[in-house]
Amino acid sequence: MQEPWWKRSTVYEIYPKSFHDTTASGMGDLQGVIEKLDYIKELGVDIVWLTPIYRSPQRDNGYDISDYYDIEPAYGTMKDVECLVQELHDRDMKLMMDIVINHTSTNHEWFQQAKTSKDNPYRNYYIWRDSSDGNAPNNWVSKFGGTAWALEEHTNQYYLHLFDKTQADLNWENNEVRNQLYKMMNFWAEKGLDGFRLDVINLVSKVQSFPHDESAPDGQFGKEYYTDGPRVHEFMKEMNQAVFAPHNLVTVGEMSSTSLAACQQYTSPDANELDMTFNFQHLKVDYEKGKKWTDGKLDFIKLKQILSDWQIGMYQAGGWNALFWCNHDQPRIVSRFGDDELYHRESAKMLATVMHMMQGTPYIYQGEEIGMTDPKFSSIEDYNDVETQNAYTELKDSGLDESAVMQIIQRRSRDNARTPMQWSAAQNAGFSKGEPWLSVASNYKEINAEKEVKDDNSIFYHYQKLIRLRKEYAIITHGDYEPLSMDDERIFSYERKWNGEKLLVVANFFGESAEFTYPKKEIGEAEILLSNYQDSTPDYSKIQLRPYEAVIYHSKS
């Protein structure tokens, strides 16, 4: 059986609103993406993932879709999409489009019809319930804070919204809803795209009794009743048969609060559901008591354990990981787990090395390849994100003072990832000739793509080398994973083995020197495939690692 092509591929995520603006509107657009395809091709990636570009009121920056068949005018037209597909294919790259089918915008025609009457044919496209003693139907909470129910006053019923109140959850129990969604996805597949990234797809099946949640340790009441729900695997198989398989599409599911067991099932080759999954457990290791909007510190041992558990668990089940540090919802990893000042270049390269040598398909988020950092805005007025605004209000209401609240906002806001792409030292970082929709990070003159591409020792070229290694060394795709020195409080190390070959990855996660001693007796000759320092030692038996030093050793038995 031929190996799926995407197992040796690398994906580049583009958030179009912040990528490149060709119209001076202050918002990025599809022509801006097309203009930068040669840059992406030089990086070496195979797939471009585009976050939602469909018509939307932009309450949640496009993840609130009001028309699946139309393009948000600020981004361009359907002709621009067709041009993008062609330009990507001409460069031997593929297009993955983001699709949001757990919910729609309340501006969508389906919801506009549904809210007019309980008898409307579209009423059953969404989830409606009567009040409970004059209150919301149950105590489920929204991912964005507050109740997950909103009262529609005309019909005096509540609708479910697991996210913003303008994002109404679709009723997947309704066959017609699913058929309409599959029809729409096939429309896009016939446009020539090569895959889908499915937003919060494991939330589509809800326990239909919608019970009151008596116990939720993390405060996310209702989560256990809609996460990896009772019919979700049935729905995934159905969607695969209706959409993915006929068009040979590559798929990745974003999994909210999921489990390893669930993702083993989603991605098992025999399941015929999804090709790979995103899970976020490794990005909650700096949450204090499991809560995002806190100023918690990195639990390094826990980080190693989670990443290792998923590497081993998915490998044993024949499943497949989507590997990532960054995306449009996460803070910049070099600011989060690295040092974005004193050891900016070293820590950015180290983090890339640790992730890219694991088994799975790596995802790079725009600007990650040049070491873009969190902007550290000083005022809440500088933040645009609806989740951030809600969190600011809740944190203030909890009694925290302004400086403590802003410290948390600076660390956690989704806008950390959404500041405009830093192309050059020109005005607005070369992103736009107009006023950007979100302020550019102030360090754009020091950190930008133009400068990186001119520097042979840059973060950009380190990513390029990692992408190339995946294509050249099959062990990165096929090798098993064995963690080493799991109790070491400074060093992340692991081995990959396959077909008589061995890869050893050794990385110092901190800004002080650390000593690594290889824990096994057999020590053979090895070559250095890649290091973020130019003079790393080829002898891996005992290494004095410098701050954030990371080395990949390769040997054959």
Side-chain angles (χ1 to χ4, degrees):
M1 181 176 161
Q2 190 176 7
E3 173 187 286
W5 59 270
W6 40 265
K7 285 196 171 184
R8 294 177 85 165
S9 298
T10 301
V11 184
Y12 188 86
E13 181 191 356
I14 292 178
Y15 193 73
K17 193 171 185 176
S18 298
F19 193 62
H20 183 46
D21 172 22
T22 62
T23 64
S25 68
M27 278 179 57
D29 49 62
L30 289 167
Q31 283 298 324
V33 175
I34 292 167
E35 277 192 13
K36 298 297 185 180
L37 289 183
D38 288 339
Y39 165 85
I40 299 168
K41 178 67 177 176
E42 184 177 357
L43 186 60
V45 302
D46 310 274
I47 307 169
V48 168
W49 155 25
L50 213 58
T51 62
I53 55 170
Y54 318 96
R55 188 176 285 271
S56 163
Q58 300 291 314
R59 172 72 178 169
D60 190 22
N61 287 320
Y63 284 88
D64 48 331
I65 299 170
S66 56
D67 188 340
Y68 288 108
Y69 292 93
D70 199 8
I71 304 302
E72 177 60 27
Y75 292 139
T77 65
M78 191 66 78
K79 282 190 175 180
D80 292 323
V81 177
E82 292 163 355
C83 178
L84 175 60
V85 170
Q86 188 61 53
E87 292 287 340
L88 280 164
H89 290 171
D90 287 349
R91 291 168 174 81
D92 294 318
M93 292 191 289
K94 300 181 185 294
L95 177 63
M96 175 185 284
M97 284 182 61
D98 215 322
I99 197 73
V100 188
I101 48 180
N102 174 70
H103 49 265
T104 73
S105 167
T106 51
N107 283 16
H108 195 289
E109 179 61 22
W110 295 345
F111 190 84
Q112 290 297 305
Q113 290 282 341
K115 73 177 186 177
T116 60
S117 162
K118 292 181 181 179
D119 300 324
N120 189 283
Y122 287 98
R123 185 71 171 184
N124 200 33
Y125 273 45
Y126 297 90
I127 298 168
W128 301 89
R129 290 293 181 275
D130 292 326
S131 69
S132 174
D133 298 325
N135 299 311
N138 61 33
N139 66 339
W140 294 11
V141 297
S142 160
K143 299 279 188 179
F144 288 174
T147 177
W149 298 93
L151 180 65
E152 198 291 301
E153 293 184 354
H154 178 67
T155 57
N156 197 34
Q157 272 193 318
Y158 287 83
Y159 63 88
L160 182 69
H161 62 90
L162 293 181
F163 295 88
D164 188 67
K165 66 180 180 181
T166 64
Q167 294 167 291
D169 278 53
L170 288 162
N171 177 19
W172 273 66
E173 299 292 318
N174 182 348
N175 293 343
E176 183 59 24
V177 167
R178 302 200 306 277
N179 290 336
Q180 286 290 339
L181 293 173
Y182 303 157
K183 177 184 174 184
M184 174 272 296
M185 294 169 80
N186 278 312
F187 166 84
W188 284 107
E190 285 155 16
K191 285 285 181 186
L193 85 161
D194 306 283
F196 283 113
R197 180 266 189 188
L198 298 125
D199 187 65
V200 295
I201 195 63
N202 65 321
L203 307 185
V204 296
S205 174
K206 283 84 171 173
V207 172
Q208 289 302 292
S209 59
F210 295 91
H212 191 82
D213 193 345
E214 300 296 342
S215 173
D218 59 0
Q220 281 287 316
F221 291 99
K223 185 170 69 173
E224 69 170 293
Y225 299 111
Y226 59 72
T227 303
D228 301 316
R231 297 184 67 189
V232 70
H233 293 288
E234 173 194 342
F235 294 154
M236 294 306 101
K237 290 179 196 297
E238 181 183 80
M239 184 160 42
N240 186 308
Q241 189 174 4
V243 183
F244 309 152
H247 297 284
N248 193 28
L249 300 178
V250 58
T251 57
V252 57
E254 182 198 27
M255 300 290 154
S256 175
S257 303
T258 191
S259 68
L260 175 56
C263 289
Q264 288 171 330
Q265 187 171 346
Y266 288 123
T267 64
S268 168
D270 299 330
N272 297 314
E273 296 184 22
L274 301 170
D275 292 325
M276 54 190 131
T277 54
F278 288 115
N279 89 86
F280 297 88
Q281 292 184 16
H282 65 295
L283 293 176
K284 296 179 181 179
V285 295
D286 57 352
Y287 288 9
E288 190 175 301
K289 296 180 180 176
K291 294 184 178 180
K292 173 177 177 176
W293 295 98
T294 56
D295 194 22
K297 303 296 183 277
L298 166 64
D299 185 334
F300 179 55
I301 301 296
K302 188 175 180 181
L303 173 69
K304 293 198 291 183
Q305 191 64 60
I306 290 171
L307 286 171
S308 297
D309 287 347
W310 280 78
Q311 281 289 294
I312 295 166
M314 293 294 266
Y315 181 87
Q316 291 174 342
W320 202 251
N321 284 299
L323 305 171
F324 72 106
W325 285 125
C326 300
N327 67 23
H328 59 279
D329 285 334
Q330 297 292 329
R332 293 287 182 177
I333 198 62
V334 71
S335 296
R336 187 174 187 177
F337 293 165
D339 181 335
D340 60 12
E341 294 180 355
L342 189 59
Y343 293 106
H344 173 249
R345 179 177 292 187
E346 292 85 355
S347 63
K349 290 181 179 181
M350 179 278 291
L351 289 159
T353 300
V354 168
M355 188 60 72
H356 279 248
M357 288 299 102
M358 291 182 177
Q359 186 186 56
T361 297
Y363 285 68
I364 298 167
Y365 177 67
Q366 65 183 48
E368 180 186 344
E369 77 283 2
I370 62 171
M372 279 180 60
T373 70
D374 291 348
K376 301 181 178 72
F377 295 141
S378 58
S379 168
I380 190 61
E381 301 300 323
D382 293 323
Y383 291 90
N384 173 279
D385 172 41
V386 58
E387 183 193 23
T388 303
Q389 297 286 345
N390 290 347
Y392 176 82
T393 301
E394 289 188 10
L395 289 166
K396 289 286 284 185
D397 290 347
S398 75
L400 287 178
D401 65 33
E402 180 73 11
S403 63
V405 170
M406 285 309 300
Q407 188 165 326
I408 294 170
I409 296 295
Q410 287 170 355
R411 288 196 62 195
R412 302 296 185 208
S413 175
R414 299 191 299 178
D415 281 341
N416 285 326
R418 300 175 181 184
T419 56
M421 177 69 181
Q422 292 164 210
W423 291 108
S424 70
Q427 183 183 9
N428 298 324
F431 162 71
S432 175
K433 292 182 179 176
E435 183 69 26
W437 73 278
L438 186 65
S439 296
V440 176
S442 61
N443 58 11
Y444 70 90
K445 291 185 179 179
E446 291 75 45
I447 300 172
N448 61 70
E450 184 177 71
K451 191 173 179 180
E452 286 281 304
V453 172
K454 289 177 180 175
D455 179 358
D456 291 343
N457 192 35
S458 68
I459 299 165
F460 177 92
Y461 288 115
H462 193 83
Y463 272 87
Q464 185 190 67
K465 289 167 187 171
L466 288 166
I467 293 166
R468 189 181 302 135
L469 286 176
R470 182 169 295 272
K471 291 179 167 58
E472 293 174 354
Y473 291 85
I475 185 175
I476 302 173
T477 299
H478 299 291
D480 63 8
Y481 174 97
E482 181 185 353
L484 304 175
S485 308
M486 288 295 281
D487 294 331
D488 194 300
E489 295 184 350
R490 293 186 180 278
I491 293 170
F492 199 142
S493 58
Y494 59 85
E495 284 184 334
R496 308 285 310 279
K497 292 179 182 176
W498 178 75
N499 202 26
E501 287 182 76
K502 183 175 80 174
L503 279 181
L504 170 64
V505 177
V506 186
N508 180 0
F509 242 76
F510 295 91
E512 301 85 26
S513 296
E515 186 172 272
F516 171 78
T517 301
Y518 186 62
K520 300 181 181 180
K521 290 181 180 179
E522 70 279 10
I523 297 171
E525 294 286 321
E527 62 171 330
I528 293 177
L529 289 189
L530 189 60
S531 171
N532 61 347
Y533 281 77
Q534 304 213 338
D535 55 349
S536 294
T537 176
D539 178 7
Y540 61 85
S541 60
K542 197 168 190 177
I543 316 167
Q544 194 68 27
L545 291 165
R546 288 160 286 192
Y548 297 102
E549 186 169 5
V551 193
I552 307 167
Y553 296 94
H554 177 253
S555 59
K556 293 183 179 180
S557 57

